[in-house]
Amino acid sequence: MKLTSSYEPDKFESDIYSAWESSGAFSPTDSSRTRERAGGLSKSDESVTRDEYSIVMPPPNANGNLHIGHGLTIAIEDSLTRYYRLKGNNTWYIPGADHAGFETWVVYERALEAVGHTRFEYSRDELYAKVWDFVQEQRGNMELQVRALGASCAWNDLTFTLDENVVARVYKTFEKMWNDGMIYRGEKLVNYCPKHQTAFADIEVEHLDEPGHLWDIKYEVAGAEPNCAFRDNKEPQPAVENTLTPFSEHELASARKKQAVKVSFDDGDEAPVEKSVIGSSPSYIVVSTTRPETLFGDQAVAVNPNDERYKDLIGKFVKLPLTDRTIPIIADEHADPTYGTGAVKITPAHDFDDFEVGKRHNLENLRVIGDDGKMLETAGKEYAGLTTEECRQKVLNRLEEQGLLLGSHEISHSVAHCYKCGTVIEPTLKEQWFIDVEKLAKIAIDHLKKGEIKFYPENKKQVLINYLKGLKDWNISRQIPWGIPIPMFKKTEAVSGTGKEHFDDTPDWIFDTRTNLETIEVGGVKYQRDEDTFDTWFSSSHWPIVTTDWTEQHGSPFYPLNVMETGADILFAWVARMIMMGLYVTGEVPFKEVYLHGLVLDSHGKKMSKSKGNVINPMDLVAKYGSDAFRLGILRGRSAGLAQAFSEDSVVASRNLCNKLWNIARLIDSWADAESNESISTDNMGEDWICRELDNLRKHLEKYMKSYRFAEAVEDLYSTIWDKYADWFLESQKGIKNLPLLKKTLENLLIMAHPFMPFVTETIWQALSWTDGMIITQKWPASLVYDPISAENFERLMLTVSEARKVLAGLGDTVKGISVGLLYGDDALVADNSELVRQLTRTDFVKPTDGTPKGIRLALPGREVYLDVSEKVVKHYKDQLTERILKVGRELDALNARMLNPNYVQKAPANLVAETKKGITEKEELIKRLKLELEVIN
RNA sequence: GGGUCGCUAGCUCAGUUGGCUAGAGCGCUUCCUUUACACGGAAGAAGUCAGGGGUUCGAAUCCCUUGCGACCCACCA
């Protein structure tokens, strides 16, 4: 086959991929989807080493495009997969596609709005069907892009996150949790995005530090009885036993000092009031708040039980400004005496902390902000319908008119935002389904502590444990139609003809998987479907279970996965949940190892973002430089867990490597015209040397793959292919051509490179005249036989050659156009390889001296080689020589200094000391010789 | 407030039980159209390993500390 002088990836990649895919090489030899399984592995027997190697692809959005992170994920996962496939494992790389609940919903809703419609015009079932169609229309790009990256995944086993088996498994788990009492419906404050009108889990909220204001508002003490503060006539319960010592004068003084800073009035006309805001007097109390608009929902004012300033006010009532309500002053640890005035208004329905305080003191949850983010009637007629922003301004104006606004401090505080649209999250009171995570987290922590999962990077394990320790109950309800419906139905009415008593006895909610029906009838009672869908992380936490076809009866030979490879950014959202759910459902951890890759940054180490315009599209690079170049380029200089820069340069360098390999193959193939069936043997030291180097590469790659050090693997591969195989071995073969060995070493090199550069290695494999089959299914190389002493000798020869080249290059113009050769004296190494030395040094001749040395002697211990140049040229060499002597002298001094230290000689390892001694001897000899040469010139 | 990570050549990064003269790619300089490759070959310049202290015969590596940067968690009203 005639090959072009440079590798053109776009000519081969798609054909190669099709050939792989249709050959069945991507599927495990015994696909779990099609066979009867005899049973899983014994769970207790740790010594069982299985042949299966399983890895799942974190499912990319089914209707999206791949971004740079996916590119990295696939480069890593596919390299692992191909490596273990070559090693002979029964390998299963399982692809997936994500319905991406909220992400897709946002895109769809935007499209809907663009044509003048809103979600509120349709029923959930209608919307679900519409989004389904929308996704189907958009689908396909992602899968083509995964193919373009060369992922050797089993496409027949692709799992979509809304596939029947996924839904069935999720419902099964939900039912088990429901029966185990781990699921409850609770009215709680949830993170709520008023724009998208759905709740979020804590981790889906983005906290940003922002400037804001802290306003001091005067609440006047009222003598009257409460009219709304407590419900059910229950006595308020003390928050915490007041056993703490009161704050010291010093603490209070520092607290007051803080308040005194930056006090100014909003209108700016008056000079800033440089005095401390008075926290209280017998007739009023000043509260500090960042959200005056929630005032209408206030149920109390809290002060710290140990705060001397307010001791006398606890139990009294204040008049709530702008309303006719009165609320109590309560004592609660939540109030921080050092912040603001130390008195805080309590709005249980609109603040997470206040909600907790409210629970402790039996306060009412009065909502004043609606689901749409606008004020409700409960805030008063004047304010109803206003946005929170508008309302805030109006409230501030009113308060100021009434002289109740005492101060405004500029502060920086953390504000929660919707991670998708940036809207400020409104803590909202909602009835939602929650998972009691206590047990789940505890089991996960136990298994993690036992070291059942190995983390790369290691430190993430403790980070995860810390997260699990503080985990709060998990809200799994989402108010969007695109997702797996929650299989819960609410009791509505008794069907006519059945007894009413029976109706009362039935539970309010029942579990049922008939979520395609809006209403169902069970035991004479009608139930209405809950309209919410699951948090996508709830279903995706089952990913290792569903993709490996794990069952209660048989387990799966592919579960647990060998490795979970994903982004460090979803350690909590996904990895943590997979571990909890895997253990809960199967009793086993879902994977044995976790490799977390870091964020891919732009070439200057900045985060990629559309607004900055620095987004790198992996497909652009694939098109420009080829898939292999992209994969090598993104693995280069990257280590686990770290956010690191990525630039086109590394892809260019990798493209060059592909081309180098291509040309290596071209050269050998051009030599291999004639059939040769001779057996493989090493006949000279260059051959022994390359066998040793290839064997080292093999060992290194094995070590690197085991420890997920991809960058080092790529680095080693690069230098072996280029610096060793091409620059030295092939150059040394130009006059020899040991074909059987050339072929064998090339095959080994191609196979070892295949996991990282699959396309070019396969293309070459197909093009070579003597190879059969496909490289993807070849066997990982065995060790090669070589003579280590001979290999070591080649290193000496290389040094000699390098030295000769260096001196020649240093001579520069003085030898231009002049025929230069090498002369050797008593030097067996050079004598026995004179032709090779001549070739490698590109000199005109290499021959023995006629007995009298002349020219420039190469500065090498144990060598006697001269560059045969005229005396005139030798004189030009003087400066170089002098510099050389100084340099070696400095090196010698350093070594001598080491030996002069008695502690070094005494305490350092013997071999090290011996090496130092040897170094000194060599350098002394070298200097002696160089000086001699210098004398000769003079 | 708590935590994690990083700071090594102009740029991006290696450097894993502390030990030869601290490496690579890109970039830069000089030379070479040598019959696989200019996406090439040969040679070269370039580093107070963030600062300070400590442990050690020996520290980029271990400990302490300061600074700078990135990120995560958290209920600062």
Side-chain angles (χ1 to χ4, degrees):
Chain A
M1 182 174 176
K2 182 86 183 123
L3 302 178
T4 51
S5 67
S6 61
Y7 173 57
E8 294 161 275
D10 51 319
K11 277 196 182 164
F12 304 102
E13 287 185 356
S14 68
D15 287 347
I16 290 285
Y17 195 90
S18 303
W20 285 332
E21 197 175 344
S22 56
S23 76
F26 294 169
S27 295
T29 52
D30 193 8
S31 174
S32 73
R33 290 286 158 94
T34 53
R35 69 175 164 169
E36 288 283 317
R37 267 191 304 267
L41 288 170
S42 157
K43 283 168 189 169
S44 53
D45 189 355
E46 292 287 329
S47 69
V48 171
T49 52
R50 58 180 195 185
D51 285 337
E52 280 77 14
Y53 184 84
S54 51
I55 179 168
V56 292
M57 188 184 297
N61 189 338
N63 56 304
N65 290 297
L66 298 191
H67 55 65
I68 198 77
H70 293 117
L72 176 58
T73 279
I74 287 170
I76 292 171
E77 292 167 3
D78 191 54
S79 298
L80 284 167
T81 303
R82 287 177 187 270
Y83 169 73
Y84 284 103
R85 189 183 289 118
L86 292 169
K87 290 282 279 182
N89 290 81
N90 186 22
T91 308
W92 196 15
Y93 180 20
I94 313 164
D98 191 3
H99 74 283
F102 186 58
E103 316 279 330
T104 301
W105 174 251
V106 169
V107 173
Y108 179 74
E109 196 173 13
R110 212 175 284 147
L112 202 60
E113 279 169 7
V115 291
H117 290 279
T118 78
R119 63 189 284 190
F120 305 106
E121 296 168 30
Y122 307 97
S123 73
R124 185 185 84 175
D125 292 341
E126 283 168 341
L127 285 168
Y128 187 90
K130 278 169 173 290
V131 184
W132 183 275
D133 293 341
F134 175 77
V135 168
Q136 290 310 316
E137 274 170 37
Q138 306 286 315
R139 203 171 160 169
N141 268 352
M142 178 276 279
E143 289 164 38
L144 287 175
Q145 291 167 6
V146 170
R147 284 178 165 88
L149 288 168
S152 61
C153 53
W155 288 106
N156 294 337
D157 302 323
L158 180 129
T159 307
F160 180 51
T161 50
L162 292 179
D163 278 349
E164 267 175 44
N165 63 318
V166 179
V167 176
R169 171 52 66 185
V170 168
Y171 282 179
K172 216 166 182 172
T173 300
F174 186 87
E175 185 179 20
K176 185 170 143 99
M177 289 184 154
W178 176 246
N179 292 333
D180 286 350
M182 294 163 71
I183 292 194
Y184 65 94
R185 185 157 180 88
E187 186 177 55
K188 281 208 210 180
L189 270 193
V190 294
N191 301 299
Y192 191 87
C193 171
K195 162 92 172 70
H196 290 114
Q197 304 212 2
T198 182
F200 290 122
D202 293 340
I203 42 168
E204 289 173 300
V205 174
E206 200 178 347
H207 291 269
L208 298 173
D209 277 335
E210 284 174 6
H213 288 89
L214 188 62
W215 287 283
D216 297 323
I217 302 170
K218 186 163 149 187
Y219 283 29
E220 283 165 339
V221 173
E225 284 299 300
N227 57 10
C228 69
F230 304 107
R231 55 185 175 196
D232 303 332
N233 292 329
K234 274 192 216 150
E235 282 301 310
Q237 296 159 1
V240 184
E241 278 299 310
N242 188 355
T243 54
L244 300 171
T245 51
F247 287 93
S248 68
E249 263 313 303
H250 172 75
E251 283 168 316
L252 289 175
S254 92
R256 287 188 194 107
K257 206 170 159 194
K258 276 188 195 169
Q259 295 162 21
V261 190
K262 284 187 192 165
V263 176
S264 67
F265 282 94
D266 239 3
D267 53 27
D269 289 342
E270 291 171 52
V273 180
E274 281 298 338
K275 62 167 187 176
S276 174
V277 170
I278 297 149
S280 71
S281 83
S283 62
Y284 64 87
I285 188 164
V286 179
V287 301
S288 302
T289 181
T290 54
R291 302 203 61 192
E293 71 277 15
T294 63
L295 163 159
F296 304 106
D298 286 5
Q299 298 301 320
V301 169
V303 297
N304 193 285
N306 293 326
D307 195 333
E308 292 291 336
R309 297 172 294 178
Y310 301 119
K311 266 220 147 109
D312 298 338
L313 286 168
I314 295 168
K316 294 200 167 144
F317 289 82
V318 289
K319 181 179 174 302
L320 187 61
L322 315 183
T323 71
D324 50 10
R325 291 165 50 209
T326 54
I327 55 173
I329 296 170
I330 59 173
D332 195 286
E333 287 290 329
H334 164 64
D336 175 1
T338 66
Y339 192 89
T341 60
V344 56
K345 64 196 225 27
I346 301 298
T347 322
H350 294 289
D351 182 280
F352 290 103
D353 295 329
D354 295 2
F355 183 74
E356 295 301 318
V357 175
K359 270 207 292 201
R360 289 199 284 269
H361 296 270
N362 279 314
L363 301 179
E364 198 179 321
N365 298 318
L366 176 64
R367 285 190 65 178
V368 294
I369 303 168
D371 285 353
D372 57 359
K374 291 186 177 154
M375 303 307 292
L376 296 171
E377 289 283 333
T378 44
K381 283 222 163 53
E382 197 186 343
Y383 305 95
L386 296 180
T387 66
T388 50
E389 271 304 311
E390 292 162 350
C391 180
R392 174 178 302 178
Q393 206 45 57
K394 200 159 185 176
V395 166
L396 288 171
N397 291 342
R398 289 280 177 285
L399 288 172
E400 199 164 4
E401 282 162 23
Q402 298 182 16
L404 296 174
L405 185 63
L406 297 190
S408 159
H409 317 246
E410 283 174 22
I411 57 159
S412 167
H413 62 155
S414 159
V415 182
H417 292 265
C418 170
Y419 77 108
K420 205 70 209 176
C421 66
T423 304
V424 174
I425 292 291
E426 195 63 65
T428 300
L429 204 57
K430 283 270 166 193
E431 272 215 357
Q432 308 267 288
W433 293 106
F434 290 88
I435 294 179
D436 176 354
V437 295
E438 201 189 327
K439 239 188 278 172
L440 289 175
K442 197 188 165 300
I443 295 167
I445 291 167
D446 289 347
H447 285 260
L448 284 171
K449 281 188 173 163
K450 274 193 252 168
E452 290 178 26
I453 301 176
K454 201 158 181 211
F455 283 74
Y456 298 87
E458 224 171 342
N459 69 299
K460 295 289 181 189
K461 182 170 111 179
Q462 196 52 46
V463 172
L464 186 57
I465 290 173
N466 291 344
Y467 169 76
L468 288 170
K469 278 182 181 164
L471 195 59
K472 288 193 282 182
D473 285 359
W474 176 11
N475 173 13
I476 51 171
S477 300
R478 294 294 176 279
Q479 291 76 53
I480 53 171
W482 182 234
I484 299 176
I486 295 179
M488 293 300 285
F489 289 76
K490 190 178 188 178
K491 179 170 70 177
T492 51
E493 58 183 288
V495 178
S496 54
T498 55
K500 193 118 173 103
E501 309 81 55
H502 177 61
F503 178 79
D504 285 338
D505 290 346
T506 54
D508 286 343
W509 288 91
I510 59 164
F511 170 86
D512 201 294
T513 59
R514 286 174 288 167
T515 48
N516 56 322
L517 303 173
E518 275 188 59
T519 55
I520 57 169
E521 197 185 308
V522 177
V525 180
K526 265 195 178 168
Y527 293 88
Q528 175 87 33
R529 180 181 68 190
D530 180 24
E531 289 297 283
D532 288 355
T533 52
F534 280 122
D535 174 6
T536 47
W537 296 116
F538 181 67
S539 48
S540 50
S541 62
H542 292 78
W543 206 236
I545 301 169
V546 296
T547 52
T548 59
D549 290 340
W550 184 92
T551 62
E552 278 81 357
Q553 297 75 37
H554 303 298
S556 165
F558 293 93
Y559 184 97
L561 301 167
N562 289 66
V563 63
M564 183 68 231
E565 192 284 336
T566 191
D569 55 329
I570 49 176
L571 175 64
F572 299 153
W574 197 32
V575 178
R577 278 151 227 268
M578 282 191 285
I579 294 171
M580 290 193 289
M581 215 57 80
L583 285 165
Y584 179 68
V585 174
T586 75
E588 273 187 286
V589 291
F591 27 75
K592 298 170 190 168
E593 304 197 317
V594 174
Y595 179 88
L596 298 161
H597 64 252
L599 205 60
V600 181
L601 308 172
D602 79 357
S603 61
H604 301 292
K606 298 278 173 249
K607 214 167 171 169
M608 290 187 200
S609 75
K610 275 182 197 161
S611 55
K612 268 186 272 182
N614 61 348
V615 173
I616 301 172
N617 177 356
M619 287 305 121
D620 292 347
L621 292 173
V622 168
K624 203 166 165 192
Y625 302 107
S627 190
D628 297 328
F630 171 77
R631 292 168 53 132
L632 287 168
I634 200 160
L635 290 181
R636 197 168 253 263
R638 201 162 294 280
S639 35
L642 297 181
Q644 286 164 311
F646 173 60
S647 79
E648 202 163 320
D649 281 348
S650 63
V651 182
V652 171
S654 304
R655 184 272 316 262
N656 296 351
L657 179 67
C658 293
N659 191 55
K660 192 74 187 177
L661 191 58
W662 175 258
N663 276 290
I664 287 170
R666 244 175 20 113
L667 179 65
I668 295 176
D669 198 53
S670 74
W671 290 344
D673 286 342
E675 279 291 315
S676 62
N677 290 317
E678 306 148 60
S679 61
I680 298 156
S681 65
T682 54
D683 303 331
N684 68 45
M685 47 186 195
E687 294 165 6
D688 285 313
W689 176 79
I690 198 62
C691 287
R692 186 188 76 180
E693 294 307 308
L694 288 179
D695 219 37
N696 283 340
L697 173 66
R698 181 183 58 78
K699 286 183 207 152
H700 293 168
L701 289 177
E702 286 167 1
K703 190 178 76 181
Y704 293 144
M705 292 312 270
K706 214 174 166 181
S707 50
Y708 300 96
R709 283 148 64 182
F710 306 104
E712 278 151 283
V714 167
E715 198 71 40
D716 216 331
L717 199 59
Y718 189 102
S719 67
T720 304
I721 290 173
W722 204 308
D723 305 342
K724 292 173 181 170
Y725 199 83
D727 289 350
W728 286 102
F729 176 60
L730 281 190
E731 289 303 322
S732 80
Q733 283 287 304
K734 280 181 174 171
I736 303 165
K737 299 192 180 65
N738 180 345
L739 276 180
L741 188 78
L742 280 161
K743 289 178 178 177
K744 185 65 187 171
T745 50
L746 176 61
E747 286 172 28
N748 282 3
L749 198 55
L750 288 170
I751 293 168
M752 288 192 282
H754 179 72
F756 308 96
M757 36 206 300
F759 286 105
V760 69
T761 50
E762 186 71 78
T763 306
I764 292 170
W765 194 269
Q766 300 304 318
L768 292 175
S769 54
W770 71 87
T771 47
D772 297 319
M774 291 199 288
I775 199 170
I776 187 175
T777 46
Q778 295 298 314
K779 286 230 157 20
W780 186 251
S783 56
L784 296 161
V785 181
Y786 61 88
D787 174 356
I789 295 169
S790 172
E792 192 56 37
N793 274 333
F794 191 68
E795 297 262 352
R796 292 187 225 282
L797 194 82
M798 288 163 73
L799 282 176
T800 310
V801 169
S802 293
E803 180 67 14
R805 287 170 175 170
K806 187 171 161 180
V807 174
L808 266 171
L811 293 174
D813 287 346
T814 53
V815 290
K816 199 164 186 177
I818 300 167
S819 158
V820 180
L822 291 171
L823 299 170
Y824 57 87
D826 181 17
D827 194 319
L829 186 72
V830 177
D832 293 347
N833 298 282
S834 56
E835 177 53 21
L836 182 57
V837 172
R838 193 196 61 76
Q839 264 183 46
L840 294 175
T841 52
R842 294 188 190 285
T843 45
D844 292 316
F845 58 83
V846 176
K847 57 188 185 190
T849 60
D850 53 9
T852 42
K854 64 169 191 160
I856 298 166
R857 180 165 179 168
L858 298 187
L860 291 162
R863 295 271 81 79
E864 193 184 348
V865 185
Y866 307 86
L867 204 58
D868 182 26
V869 288
S870 69
E871 267 184 51
K872 196 179 137 200
V873 174
V874 172
K875 285 209 157 58
H876 276 276
Y877 182 59
K878 197 179 142 191
D879 288 348
Q880 266 192 60
L881 194 60
T882 314
E883 203 176 304
R884 200 71 198 287
I885 290 168
L886 289 172
K887 195 182 161 217
V888 178
R890 284 195 296 272
E891 287 164 12
L892 182 63
D893 289 347
L895 291 182
N896 276 326
R898 200 177 293 173
M899 288 307 289
L900 282 172
N901 183 344
N903 284 322
Y904 174 71
V905 183
Q906 210 178 321
K907 293 184 182 174
N911 64 319
L912 215 65
V913 177
E915 246 176 75
T916 309
K917 277 184 187 162
K918 192 180 154 208
I920 288 174
T921 317
E922 281 181 3
K923 288 196 194 308
E924 278 173 345
E925 191 203 332
L926 191 57
I927 286 189
K928 213 166 104 190
R929 191 188 301 154
L930 291 169
K931 281 183 173 165
L932 215 80
E933 223 177 302
L934 194 62
E935 277 172 33
V936 172
I937 297 171
N938 292 330

